[in-house]
Amino acid sequence: MIAIGCDHGGFALKQEILAWLDHEGIEYRDFGCYEEKSCDYPEIGHAVAKAVAAGDYEKGILLCGTGIGISLAANKVPGIRAAVCTDCFMAEATRQHNDANILAMGGRVVGPGLAVRITETFLNTEFSGEERHVQRIQKIDKID
Ligand code: RB5
């Protein structure tokens, strides 16, 4: 189960991602926003991050204009590793190396076709589990 959310800058891109999740039969909860009206990305980012950190959802997807603001908010929640990705290499690497649990993208940065491929890569790539990566993530956790 995926937790997904956006602000107005990521709203149109979220509709594309939701359509792909529906097509693939991937279950999700949409945390909003539900219209293109201006809203504040920290609230949505925090809500999705809290739900993922609590273990209620396997992974999260967050969308704002750049992917940056909403990921900054999400990364304030202990246990969250939210990664802004603009290509499939980043999505694959952040899963394999960082065990990222939230994908963030920018609706004003990536087009819908690329965003769907990035999402697919993120959701289908496993953490490598290699010791050096585990240790580095533990060091991040200690900062929390
Ligand atoms: C909203 O205009 C914009 O600032 C927001 O979507 C995001 O890009 C922030 O990082």
Side-chain angles (χ1 to χ4, degrees), residues 49-86:
K50 265 197 313 185
V52 172
D56 298 339
Y57 299 87
E58 191 191 332
K59 290 192 184 78
I61 301 171
L62 288 172
L63 310 153
C64 67
T66 59
I68 296 172
I70 205 159
S71 69
L72 293 177
N75 276 317
K76 292 288 185 187
V77 175
I80 288 302
R81 292 176 299 280
V84 181
C85 295
T86 56

Side-chain angles (χ1 to χ4, degrees), residues 86-102:
T86 56
D87 61 40
C88 293
F89 176 80
M90 295 170 80
E92 185 179 63
T94 199
R95 286 290 309 128
Q96 289 177 337
H97 293 201
N98 316 128
D99 198 15
N101 46 17
I102 293 184

Side-chain angles (χ1 to χ4, degrees), residues 9 12 15 17 37 53 82 86 93 97 107 120-121 124 126 140-141 143:
Q15 302 313 112
I17 303 295
K37 200 173 122 217
T86 56
H97 293 201
E120 185 174 32
T121 303
N124 291 332
E126 296 297 323
I140 294 174
D141 289 342
I143 299 169

